[in-house]
Amino acid sequence: MQSADSRSSFRTLQRFTPDYAPCTITKYESERTGMSVVVVDREGPKVNGFFTLATEIHDDSGAPHTLEHLCFMGSKSYRYKGVLDKLATRAYSNTNAWTATDHTAYTLDTAGWDGFAQILPIYLEHVILPTLTDAGCYTEVHHVDGSGHDAGVVYSEMQGVQNSQAELMELRAKRLMYPESVGFRYETGGMMEQLRVLTADRIRKFHRDMYQPKNLCLVIVGDVDHTDLLQTLSKFETTILDDIPRPDAPFRRPWVGSDPAPPLTKSTLEFVEFPEEDESSGEITISFFGPSCNDLLYATALNTLLVYLAGSSASVLENTLVEKDQVTSAVYYSVEIRPTILIQFALSSVATERLQEVEGRFFEVLKRTAANQLDMTYLRDCIARERRLIKDSAESSSTPFSEPIIYDFLFAERDGSMLKKDLENLNEFDELLLWPENKWRQLIKLWLLDAHHVTILGKPSATLSKKLKSEEKARIEHQKRTLGREGLEALGKRLAQAKAENDKDIPQALLEKFDVPSIKSIHFIGTTTARSGAAKKLGRLQNKLQKLVDSDDTEAPLFIHFEHVQSNFAHVNLIISTEAVPIELRPLLSVYLENMFTSPIERDGNRIEFEQVIMELEKDTVGYDTGLGNALGNPEVLTMRISVEVEKYASAIRWLEEIIWSGIFDLERIASTTVRLLADIPEAKRSGSNMLSAVEVMIHSAPASVVRARSTLVNALYLKGVRHLLKENPNIIIRQLQQLRDALFEFQNIRAVVVANVEKLSKPVSSWKSFTAHLDTSRPLNPMEKRLSRLSEAGRNPGQLSYVIPMPTIDSSFALSVASGPSSLQDARMPALMVALSYLDAVEGPMWVAVRGTGLAYGTSFSRHTESGQVSYSVYRSPNAFKAFRTGRSVVEDFVSGKTELDKLALEGAISSIVLGFADGQATMAAAAQMSFVRQVMRELPDDWNERMLEKVRGVKVEEIRAAMEDMVLPVLTAGTANLIVTCAPVMEEEVVKGFQGLGFKPEVRPLTYFQDDYGTKVPLDEKSEEEEDDMLDGVDIRGGEDDDSSYESDS
């Protein structure tokens, strides 16, 4: 093809429009440098960039990962740490990056084209010509601080994952799957022991080898001005030609030019221990090699076959191992796109003593499946559903096709021919529908049964947990002794010098050169609302969609809210109040919701088994689920969703009707679900971040809270009581489930929300008649419960509680503090609070520089929780959460006192970030529709609330921001006004406790079991583990007596 623009150096390689997606895909290549550009044109307010480099390394040094971090520290023309993000923030943009084994991707997430185009050349210079200073490597990668402890942003990140169950098992599998000559063998994130000796020169060499324009692909998704894009890139190329290797110099393409992964010559099974006090359950992973990633037909066949084998509770592996045998809580599958695709199955929560037995059972089931006739009706339904899911994703994803474009760049021909073949149509599914049954069985044998594989049996070990703690403590003590006082002082000075070099002030003139772009290029997605039944009480609307709805049935009583968008799919949702459910039954929602779409139903007097129900659901839908209303801003309500092709709208409603009122409470299904949920709890308890949130819910929520009732720390005890009753008196559970269903599905509790092209809906209102017939429509609609009303005393009036929870499964620490805040979006203080938090949390803003920039934590963030009237501050993955917390508090104190001035340009950036947040909420048609419903119904805000709020935000004065920091932010960091929770490695416990005591907190050290609640199920002693009994005793003895429990007991 010819040059794309006479004033640019780029030529067009491919341009095509997928026949199933509302977008156009164009691939360009630079004739000067070989840089690739792929644009996915689609309407919407967001423009997303993925600047991808193929990266390959044959060691565990972490050079790819550390380089990813260091590219944000400055570039040839912008030699200041943080300048990129400060400029991006002003341009309605956010930057980020990730490092995978085979590539590194730098992301630019922007509202509108103008902001994207402004930041693009600056960002690319940071990638191609970064500063890579010694000082930046020292603070960002690894250093030993003046107290003798290891720190650094990357080091802290890897410290948090290196000894986790998933990381230990994955690393051993890599070592067994790949020889030393293949890069997929290595941990590109970096192992801690190698990060401690990694040099800046090694990172610079990796950059020279890999970060060349010919090895770079820009994937851009959104409403793009192609002419402006290509001219901008051509100008950028001119500025870098003197500083990069000659574009025509020899270059070995990563992965494609490397040794391929050889086939496995034998099958291997190994045990891998991971640190865990609870030794009751472990994990299994089983890995195979599949077809070439460039064989579109067979790669699609593989995905379909894996769905058939393990895609749902009706699939053979899930149905046998999870539902019938009940030897694992789930069978997951995944594929890693590599030159030879990596296939992996994972079996979670397997009884430790049965790990090897269950692995054998997995292969028995596979062997039986391949030996018998396959269910071709179901398999063809899987093919059809996979096709529907791709179509739906092309509409519903804010960044469609970004992943296949990246992998095409990594492993396919650079001319884009494979990209076009892969994405232009879905014809490969038509071919798969014609395949005979024996061909599918042959593939099961080829890729799985007859193929060599690597099995890793993950075994929990309390001994290893203690060993790692002891070894780390000894290593640090040895490090301190070796360095001595003078050595530690020297390291402290070196760190201070590095920080001073990194943190040189950015000249205001440099920032002022770049104006805040106009918001005219931000094209927000519009939706149109129509209402039926009780929804009309919110106000009668005058538009053609409302007339269409009214013409169908004006007397229908059910609350139905329609959001009209251009879509080929209909998303049918129910919002259900939980107020009528007795408090003691609310924990049973975990079992009820989990079983909702996987239970038998009664139809025309016949029992339809759950496997058939799932198969029929999958045939009719593109998705279905139940859950809490978190995305709606109210987690105390329940949600049900069924998404279908628009012509199956009535079918979606019929499914809701059948699932709710014809579902059968089957004892076998209930028992299976209970066992599965219980089996998942030990794994959930291994995450420091997850348990931080779980404890927060337990102490700040009243027992009436559905969030609390369904939490891990309730399920840990309550479900054991359910399991006991299912053995001893199962009719009690059946009656309770019936009572639960009856309480939920009353007319006054139900609101329906339909997101679809309403003009394509046949009978938008009258299709609900059969559903409504089950309801007593004489009752008025109840107001929806509020999260605020279900807080505990500690949640309503924080400031009295602080806890430190040692967890042997983690190597770092996490902290969360919570204080009171505004409980209404229309609170007069809200605009100032929004700007204050945006200012503090900005990338390369005050908190980032003070905490992440000094290696004190991987990240921190403030959050406002309007639904609960709270503000919170979190520290994520820190080598010492107290130090990160104390530093964050000092930052806010300095703003409040006036010691630190608020920067005018940074304030402009904070406001731009708020604009980006508004665009994020409307990134797709479905998201815009949901936002409209939330604004109108859940939050009862006026139509122009977004515009009015943005106007108020722009008008906030400096003194108002300072007042917001003093009145609503500083209390989150202050003893007496904030509650505090910390999860940490046991080796950190003493130091963390002493540190927070020095800030005025009175932390109690408690095990996780201290926060558990059985909601009165009276779990028999033989249902409790020895660990729980020991922990309960520990919970009493740690502080010397039961009286110390009173602060928590009163809240429960």
Side-chain angles (χ1 to χ4, degrees):
M1 292 186 181
Q2 296 300 311
S3 178
D5 186 283
S6 60
R7 291 163 293 176
S8 84
S9 56
F10 287 81
R11 64 191 180 103
T12 306
L13 296 180
Q14 302 288 344
R15 178 176 287 121
F16 58 92
T17 299
D19 63 11
Y20 55 92
C23 67
T24 299
I25 299 174
T26 308
K27 178 162 188 175
Y28 302 105
E29 184 180 69
S30 170
E31 296 178 305
R32 277 199 290 181
T33 67
M35 183 192 303
S36 298
V37 183
V38 182
V39 179
V40 181
D41 281 297
R42 61 173 287 154
E43 294 181 359
K46 299 293 295 297
V47 181
N48 294 93
F50 303 86
F51 311 148
T52 306
L53 297 119
T55 49
E56 180 180 3
I57 197 167
H58 290 191
D59 60 44
D60 299 316
S61 66
H65 183 200
T66 54
L67 177 56
E68 171 224 307
H69 283 250
L70 291 169
C71 280
F72 291 94
M73 302 285 283
S75 69
K76 179 185 176 182
S77 305
Y78 305 91
R79 305 185 69 83
Y80 301 93
K81 176 189 173 188
V83 66
L84 170 64
D85 286 299
K86 287 182 181 294
L87 292 172
T89 301
R90 287 167 56 76
Y92 315 118
S93 299
N94 184 41
T95 69
N96 210 330
W98 74 76
T99 302
T101 304
D102 48 27
H103 70 276
T104 302
Y106 295 85
T107 64
L108 180 58
D109 180 17
T110 306
W113 171 252
D114 288 351
F116 190 94
Q118 180 170 296
I119 293 302
L120 178 61
I122 305 168
Y123 200 164
L124 292 180
E125 186 183 280
H126 277 73
V127 173
I128 299 298
L129 302 176
T131 52
L132 300 183
T133 65
D134 288 344
C137 293
Y138 193 67
T139 59
E140 193 75 7
V141 179
H142 170 265
H143 58 266
V144 178
D145 63 21
S147 67
H149 290 86
D150 298 271
V153 176
V154 177
Y155 189 83
S156 297
E157 181 181 355
M158 299 313 295
Q159 183 183 47
V161 300
Q162 181 164 314
N163 289 314
S164 67
Q165 163 254 315
E167 178 70 12
L168 289 168
M169 292 177 67
E170 181 185 1
L171 185 63
R172 188 57 192 149
K174 287 179 181 179
R175 301 293 203 235
L176 294 171
M177 292 293 290
Y178 298 101
E180 293 181 2
S181 61
V182 177
F184 292 112
R185 173 185 178 88
Y186 300 98
E187 174 49 76
T188 50
M191 304 291 286
M192 284 190 290
E193 52 272 22
Q194 295 210 30
L195 288 171
R196 291 196 286 264
V197 297
L198 179 62
T199 65
D201 284 340
R202 176 70 183 93
I203 299 169
R204 292 181 190 118
K205 182 180 185 304
F206 184 78
H207 182 270
R208 279 196 306 274
D209 292 343
M210 296 289 163
Y211 278 48
Q212 300 184 32
K214 69 180 74 173
N215 192 38
L216 171 65
C217 180
L218 312 183
V219 183
I220 304 174
V221 183
D223 198 344
V224 175
D225 182 331
H226 287 242
T227 301
D228 188 22
L229 168 66
L230 298 181
Q231 290 176 6
T232 299
L233 291 176
S234 293
K235 291 176 184 175
F236 167 71
E237 285 187 321
T238 301
T239 67
I240 65 170
L241 285 173
D242 292 339
D243 297 289
I244 62 173
R246 278 190 6 258
D248 60 351
F251 177 75
R252 182 184 62 80
R253 188 176 163 192
W255 308 111
V256 174
S258 303
D259 292 340
L264 294 173
T265 58
K266 64 177 182 178
S267 292
T268 306
L269 181 149
E270 282 196 11
F271 282 90
V272 170
E273 290 189 337
F274 59 90
E276 170 62 279
E277 295 292 320
D278 183 348
E279 296 184 330
S280 62
S281 68
E283 312 287 320
I284 300 173
T285 62
I286 309 169
S287 304
F288 309 82
F289 285 130
S292 164
C293 70
N294 291 323
D295 189 331
L296 175 61
L297 182 64
Y298 277 86
T300 305
L302 172 64
N303 281 327
T304 304
L305 192 59
L306 293 174
V307 170
Y308 177 86
L309 292 172
S312 73
S313 295
S315 60
V316 60
L317 289 169
E318 273 270 328
N319 188 254
T320 304
L321 299 176
V322 179
E323 306 297 344
K324 293 177 180 175
D325 293 357
Q326 297 182 18
V327 294
T328 176
S329 66
V331 179
Y332 302 103
Y333 70 86
S334 63
V335 293
E336 292 284 345
I337 305 301
R338 294 171 180 176
T340 301
I341 292 175
L342 179 70
I343 307 164
Q344 189 170 83
F345 290 91
L347 283 66
S348 63
S349 304
V350 178
T352 304
E353 67 276 9
R354 301 186 66 184
L355 285 167
Q356 200 160 351
E357 172 196 342
V358 173
E359 192 261 0
R361 179 67 176 138
F362 172 90
F363 283 100
E364 287 176 12
V365 176
L366 268 186
K367 186 175 182 180
R368 186 186 67 202
T369 301
N372 296 325
Q373 195 80 8
L374 300 181
D375 184 342
M376 289 304 294
T377 300
Y378 179 51
L379 200 153
R380 291 187 179 111
D381 286 344
C382 290
I383 295 171
R385 190 164 195 264
E386 285 298 290
R387 189 207 301 257
R388 288 198 304 274
L389 288 171
I390 290 174
K391 290 181 178 180
D392 178 56
S393 176
E395 271 191 19
S396 60
S397 170
S398 61
T399 55
F401 306 122
S402 58
E403 186 173 308
I405 291 170
I406 287 172
Y407 285 114
D408 178 85
F409 171 73
L410 295 179
F411 304 129
E413 293 296 328
R414 289 284 173 85
D415 63 3
S417 56
M418 185 66 193
L419 181 68
K420 183 176 181 182
K421 181 181 177 183
D422 188 5
L423 300 181
E424 189 170 30
N425 56 56
L426 301 174
N427 292 345
E428 63 272 16
F429 289 97
D430 295 326
E431 189 169 345
L432 293 182
L433 286 169
L434 300 176
W435 278 13
E437 184 267 352
N438 66 320
K439 186 159 188 173
W440 291 99
R441 282 196 288 134
Q442 288 169 4
L443 292 182
I444 295 176
K445 293 177 181 177
L446 174 67
W447 291 328
L448 304 176
L449 260 187
D450 297 340
H452 293 305
H453 61 274
V454 168
T455 295
I456 302 296
L457 305 180
K459 184 178 179 182
S461 169
T463 302
L464 178 61
S465 173
K466 293 169 184 171
K467 179 185 175 187
L468 289 172
K469 174 183 175 181
S470 173
E471 288 179 348
E472 179 65 2
K473 187 174 183 179
R475 187 189 68 80
I476 293 172
E477 289 302 319
H478 175 74
Q479 184 165 271
K480 290 178 180 179
R481 286 195 304 272
T482 303
L483 289 167
R485 188 178 69 181
E486 291 182 0
L488 291 173
E489 288 177 356
L491 287 175
K493 290 177 182 177
R494 182 183 174 188
L495 179 58
Q497 290 169 354
K499 288 178 182 177
E501 183 178 338
N502 290 337
D503 297 336
K504 290 176 182 175
D505 289 339
I506 302 170
Q508 290 291 97
L510 177 59
L511 299 175
E512 289 171 346
K513 282 170 55 179
F514 298 89
D515 294 330
V516 175
S518 165
I519 63 171
K520 291 180 180 178
S521 72
I522 305 174
H523 302 144
F524 289 100
I525 297 173
T527 67
T528 305
T529 302
R531 295 167 180 156
S532 176
K536 289 183 178 180
K537 293 181 180 178
L538 296 175
R540 289 190 171 273
L541 302 171
Q542 300 296 323
N543 59 61
K544 70 173 185 176
L545 278 309
Q546 185 62 58
K547 291 177 181 176
L548 185 70
V549 167
D550 288 344
S551 68
D552 182 27
D553 191 339
T554 57
E555 301 301 322
L558 186 66
F559 182 109
I560 311 177
H561 178 107
F562 293 93
E563 285 292 334
H564 172 71
V565 295
Q566 295 300 319
S567 174
N568 293 313
F569 298 90
H571 307 281
V572 184
N573 305 268
L574 296 182
I575 317 297
I576 306 144
S577 168
T578 57
E579 193 63 31
V581 177
I583 291 174
E584 67 273 15
L585 293 186
R586 292 181 188 181
L588 198 57
L589 283 166
S590 294
V591 175
Y592 178 62
L593 295 180
E594 187 75 12
N595 260 357
M596 206 158 200
F597 286 107
T598 59
S599 290
I601 62 172
E602 184 177 341
R603 183 186 294 158
D604 300 326
N606 299 313
R607 177 183 168 111
I608 310 298
E609 295 300 337
F610 82 94
E611 294 94 341
Q612 185 62 32
V613 171
I614 293 171
M615 288 180 184
E616 291 182 18
L617 271 168
E618 292 182 347
K619 183 176 181 179
D620 283 350
T621 71
V622 291
Y624 53 89
D625 56 47
T626 61
L628 303 184
N630 299 73
L632 305 175
N634 187 346
E636 295 296 334
V637 300
L638 304 186
T639 61
M640 286 183 70
R641 176 189 65 91
I642 294 184
S643 297
V644 295
E645 292 165 303
V646 70
E647 58 269 19
K648 291 188 176 181
Y649 171 64
S651 174
I653 299 168
R654 283 195 299 273
W655 271 116
L656 288 172
E657 180 182 349
E658 274 199 316
I659 293 297
I660 293 169
W661 287 292
S662 299
I664 296 170
F665 294 123
D666 178 80
L667 279 176
E668 185 177 330
R669 298 293 306 129
I670 298 165
S672 173
T673 297
T674 303
V675 169
R676 186 169 71 251
L677 291 173
L678 275 169
D680 282 338
I681 288 170
E683 183 176 359
K685 285 184 170 183
R686 291 168 192 153
S687 166
S689 178
N690 288 348
M691 288 302 98
L692 193 75
S693 300
V695 171
E696 186 276 326
V697 165
M698 295 303 292
I699 66 174
H700 290 146
S701 303
S705 168
V706 171
V707 181
R708 185 183 193 275
R710 295 186 69 237
S711 74
T712 300
L713 296 176
V714 169
N715 283 343
L717 287 183
Y718 182 86
L719 292 180
K720 289 181 178 179
V722 172
R723 183 176 63 187
H724 177 75
L725 283 173
L726 287 170
K727 293 175 184 175
E728 302 298 324
N729 198 344
N731 288 333
I732 291 178
I733 299 298
I734 298 295
R735 283 198 303 271
Q736 289 178 339
L737 286 168
Q738 289 169 338
Q739 186 181 355
L740 184 63
R741 176 168 65 186
D742 292 344
L744 285 172
F745 293 103
E746 295 283 356
F747 175 79
Q748 61 270 22
N749 297 334
I750 298 173
R751 291 164 174 84
V753 184
V754 178
V755 177
N757 185 331
V758 178
E759 294 175 326
K760 291 184 178 181
L761 296 181
S762 175
K763 303 178 180 178
V765 179
S766 58
S767 294
W768 290 88
K769 274 189 174 180
S770 179
F771 181 96
T772 309
H774 293 270
L775 303 169
D776 177 3
T777 60
S778 64
R779 303 280 296 276
L781 194 65
N782 287 335
M784 274 184 282
E785 54 273 40
K786 302 293 185 183
R787 175 87 179 115
L788 197 63
S789 68
R790 293 184 175 178
L791 296 180
S792 65
E793 174 60 27
R796 289 192 298 273
N797 298 293
Q800 304 304 312
L801 303 180
S802 56
Y803 296 105
V804 172
I805 302 140
M807 293 179 60
T809 55
I810 61 177
D811 290 327
S812 55
S813 60
F814 305 81
L816 178 68
S817 57
V818 178
S820 295
S823 58
S824 168
L825 286 171
Q826 302 199 71
D827 189 307
R829 301 171 297 167
M830 184 59 74
L833 178 62
M834 290 171 68
V835 176
L837 298 188
S838 181
Y839 184 95
L840 290 168
D841 271 346
V843 178
E844 292 296 344
M847 303 300 290
W848 177 289
V849 170
V851 180
R852 180 184 168 112
T854 57
L856 291 176
Y858 188 70
T860 67
S861 64
F862 287 98
S863 300
R864 51 183 175 80
H865 311 277
T866 314
E867 73 282 358
S868 56
Q870 295 170 332
V871 178
S872 66
Y873 174 68
S874 67
V875 175
Y876 182 78
R877 203 181 284 165
S878 168
N880 186 322
F882 157 69
K883 290 182 179 179
F885 186 95
R886 179 183 61 187
T887 300
R889 176 169 138 169
S890 296
V891 168
V892 177
E893 284 176 333
D894 287 349
F895 281 117
V896 169
S897 68
K899 181 179 178 181
T900 304
E901 294 293 330
L902 290 162
D903 180 80
K904 176 190 172 185
L905 297 180
L907 282 173
E908 290 177 353
I911 293 168
S912 294
S913 292
I914 294 170
V915 174
L916 176 60
F918 278 64
D920 284 337
Q922 305 175 53
T924 66
M925 290 178 286
Q930 177 175 285
M931 183 66 68
S932 177
F933 170 76
V934 169
R935 176 181 52 74
Q936 295 179 63
V937 179
M938 306 299 290
R939 292 177 174 165
E940 300 175 341
L941 296 170
D943 291 346
D944 62 348
W945 182 83
N946 283 5
E947 293 78 10
R948 285 162 57 181
M949 179 54 79
L950 285 175
E951 185 178 343
K952 290 178 180 178
V953 161
R954 288 193 179 97
V956 169
K957 295 179 173 59
V958 168
E959 54 268 26
E960 292 176 300
I961 299 169
R962 205 182 299 280
M965 289 186 180
E966 182 174 9
D967 298 339
M968 293 177 283
V969 181
L970 190 56
V972 187
L973 301 157
T974 304
T977 52
N979 289 336
L980 173 73
I981 308 160
V982 180
T983 54
C984 65
V987 71
M988 301 176 183
E989 174 194 318
E990 184 177 348
E991 190 172 359
V992 167
V993 169
K994 287 181 179 177
F996 279 108
Q997 285 174 338
L999 291 180
F1001 290 93
K1002 300 176 181 178
E1004 300 178 45
V1005 178
R1006 298 292 185 184
L1008 285 171
T1009 48
Y1010 173 79
F1011 303 97
Q1012 295 179 167
D1013 186 355
D1014 65 5
Y1015 273 68
T1017 53
K1018 307 300 180 188
V1019 182
L1021 282 176
D1022 61 358
E1023 290 281 347
K1024 295 177 181 174
S1025 68
E1026 291 181 11
E1027 175 219 349
E1028 285 174 336
E1029 291 172 16
D1030 290 344
D1031 278 353
M1032 286 174 189
L1033 290 172
D1034 289 345
V1036 172
D1037 292 344
I1038 282 173
R1039 294 296 169 190
E1042 292 185 44
D1043 289 344
D1044 291 330
D1045 296 352
S1046 59
S1047 61
Y1048 176 67
E1049 295 288 345
S1050 64
D1051 297 332
S1052 299

